[in-house]
Each structure stands twice: as C-alpha cells, then as structure tokens.
Amino acid sequence: MSEKNKIPKADFAIIGGSGTLSSDFPLNIEDDNIKILNNSIFINTPYGMSPKFILFSVNNKIVLTCKMHGWRSGVTRSDASRQIFWTFREAEVKNILSEGGVGSINHLLDPRDLIIPDDYIDLSVRKDVMLDGRYLLIMRESLCKELRKNLLNVSRKYFQGRIFDRGIYAVTDGRHFESPAEIAMLNGHADIVGQSLAPEVYLAREIGACYANLSFVVNYGEGIKISWSHDTMKDIFFDDAQMIGKILIEAIKNTDINNKKCNCNSLRKETLLKDVYNQESDKG
C-alpha cells in the first residue's frame, strides 16, 4: 500500500545506483537487524511526484532509500534530484550514501575496482540545480571524510579486490557513454567518470547533510583499452549487487551520528546576497 505526502523522519539515506538496481534492496540483504517500515512511499514535492522510497531501520537507525538516483522516463534528472533532496530535507536526513558504476579514466584502474572518491569535477550542464538560494556552498571536503572512512573499512571486510580510498570523479550528462576524445581530455584530471555524483554532492551540502559515494569500475573509458566487454559489465551488475548493498548497510551501522568529527556542517554558509534572495522570494 503506497502512502503519499507522509514524510517520515530519517537519520540516513541511501541513493541506489546501478550496483543495487538488479537486486531487491534492502530486502535482498540477509540481516535480521533490517526491518522494513514502509516499502512504498511517494512524496508530492514542489518539483513533481517523487520516485518510490522505502523506509527501513537497521540497529535502530532509520533509513530512506530509492532506486537509481530517482531517474524515471519522462522526468529530467534535475527534477529527479530535487524531488529526492527536497524529501531528504523535509525528512531531516543528515547522512547520505550513494553508489554506482563508473568508467575508468586512470589507465591503472580495471573493472571491479572499488573507488571511494574524495573530489569531483562537474562537467554536466545541469547547473543551478538547487532547492533555494539561501546558502553559499563551500565545496572543500565535498565528500564527507568520516562516511568515506566507514565505507573504506567496511569494503575491506566484504570485498577481496582492489579498493582505492580516494579518486576524482568526473561527472558527465549521459546517458550515452563518453567519446575517446572526451576521455583523453579528462585523462590526467580525473580518475573515474560517471553521471550521478553531481548535482547530488552539492544538493547534500545545501540541505546540511554529509555525503559519500561508493563507485565501482564497470568498464574502461573509451580509448583507455582497445575495447571492453558489455558482458563483464552485466556480470558485475548482477553478481555484486548484494555485496554493494551489504557494504552500505554496514557503513550505516558503523556511523555514530552523535559523535561525528567531520567538517561538513561548517561548509554551508548563509549567502552574502541576502537582499537579492529576499527580493526574488518576494516576487515568487
């Protein structure tokens, strides 16, 4: 039974990507501590109807999650992102984890490598994707060092392959993959390329939430290798979904929401353009 416009409070949020898309997350995670509280929540936001959210608890922490960054046919990615983060803001979410598959730009990276990025380059054209203009967003330490540390520690427990605790994520629009010339342009400036980290990373800062991402390499960027296998990508999506979900759940368990030592909260400031903002608000 779906519920509309009842926005629950939540401590955490998980934005699902291609890593958990093939699975029934979080139902596919074998963990007696996970309790589904509501498996079909839709919120009527100022930017349109939200994607379906699932509300669950784990170790007494309340979590909201949705699939594939909210993308749906006929809904722009900008609106999808704002629907999600408007809901997170109303739910008072303060810790957000996301996951997704990426292509390699750094020629040392191979499919099935895990990356926990520490910075990004936004090359998308989805600019000015915001909820309002009240804040100056300082994007130093844009990805929460504490959530990243928890993801790293848990990944080492559940994943036997290579794990990198930092990397620069280049964001492009898609949904097509990048051309060889685009990858060549990014080579030396970024390590991985994908389509989801922005605008999520700055929307998280706008609502005052910590944000971290778990990326796994599913293909070589064009020109990095002569060719790459679509079958390998498909195998990763289907074979590793439960592991990715387990890492996210365990990272939440390991996060002490009452004793965080990151700097994220200090990097959102009241805008210096208050008069301009107030005038524009009055016009609306």
Side-chain angles (χ1 to χ4, degrees):
M1 185 73 177
S2 66
E3 294 189 27
K4 294 184 178 179
N5 297 327
K6 291 186 66 176
I7 304 176
K9 303 303 180 187
D11 307 302
F12 289 84
I14 295 174
I15 306 176
S18 47
T20 54
L21 182 64
S22 67
S23 66
D24 194 12
F25 179 83
L27 298 176
N28 69 314
I29 306 299
E30 297 178 0
D31 188 330
D32 292 337
N33 295 305
I34 295 176
K35 302 188 184 308
I36 304 300
L37 305 177
N38 192 327
N39 67 358
S40 186
I41 300 174
F42 294 87
I43 305 298
N44 189 10
T45 79
Y47 310 98
M49 187 61 66
S50 75
K52 186 178 81 168
F53 288 97
I54 296 176
L55 184 73
F56 67 96
S57 67
V58 57
N59 286 11
N60 297 318
K61 295 172 179 176
I62 307 300
V63 186
L64 265 178
T65 185
C66 65
K67 279 185 177 290
M68 202 55 189
H69 308 277
W71 300 350
R72 284 146 288 148
S73 177
V75 179
T76 68
R77 295 191 188 188
S78 297
D79 283 345
S81 296
R82 285 184 283 205
Q83 291 162 11
I84 292 171
F85 279 84
W86 185 89
T87 301
F88 289 166
R89 185 181 68 182
E90 299 304 302
E92 300 179 8
V93 169
K94 295 301 180 186
N95 299 276
I96 302 169
L97 298 176
S98 70
E99 57 84 9
V102 294
S104 67
I105 297 173
N106 188 322
H107 72 279
L108 298 177
L109 295 175
D110 296 313
R112 278 202 163 89
D113 285 344
L114 284 184
I115 318 290
I116 302 169
D118 66 329
D119 208 345
Y120 72 99
I121 300 172
D122 184 8
L123 300 176
S124 72
V125 297
R126 299 186 297 274
K127 307 302 181 186
D128 296 327
V129 181
M130 60 184 181
L131 301 181
D132 54 48
R134 288 184 295 165
Y135 297 107
L136 170 66
L137 307 179
I138 302 169
M139 299 313 292
R140 180 189 324 130
E141 298 182 22
S142 52
L143 292 120
C144 176
K145 62 182 181 181
E146 192 156 334
L147 291 180
R148 288 176 51 240
K149 180 180 178 181
N150 289 344
L151 283 173
L152 176 64
N153 291 337
V154 175
S155 296
R156 286 172 172 167
K157 179 179 178 181
Y158 289 99
F159 183 62
Q160 304 304 312
R162 298 198 304 173
I163 305 168
F164 296 87
D165 65 354
R166 60 190 180 276
I168 298 175
Y169 186 127
V171 184
T172 60
D173 272 324
R175 301 185 174 183
H176 55 275
F177 282 9
E178 298 72 31
S179 72
E182 289 174 318
I183 295 297
M185 178 189 70
L186 290 169
N187 201 346
H189 301 285
D191 299 292
I192 53 178
V193 61
Q195 300 166 8
S196 306
L197 197 73
E200 292 176 4
V201 66
Y202 46 85
L203 282 169
R205 181 133 300 170
E206 182 177 352
I207 69 171
C210 295
Y211 178 90
N213 170 266
L214 180 68
S215 289
F216 52 106
V217 177
V218 298
N219 66 284
Y220 294 110
E222 298 295 344
I224 298 299
K225 296 279 186 178
I226 294 175
S227 63
W228 52 271
S229 169
H230 184 267
D231 289 338
T232 298
M233 178 188 295
K234 184 171 64 175
D235 289 344
I236 294 172
F237 285 159
F238 285 93
D239 294 347
D240 296 340
Q242 186 168 24
M243 177 196 67
I244 296 295
K246 186 69 173 177
I247 289 173
L248 297 172
I249 294 294
E250 291 297 318
I252 288 175
K253 289 181 181 180
N254 291 348
T255 300
D256 183 354
I257 58 178
N258 297 314
N259 191 33
K260 293 188 68 182
K261 298 179 175 63
C262 62
N263 300 315
C264 299
N265 283 339
S266 68
L267 297 174
R268 182 185 71 162
K269 308 291 186 182
E270 289 289 335
T271 181
L272 300 176
L273 304 175
K274 288 183 179 179
D275 292 339
V276 175
Y277 170 73
N278 290 333
Q279 290 173 10
E280 293 298 322
S281 297
D282 291 342
K283 290 179 183 178

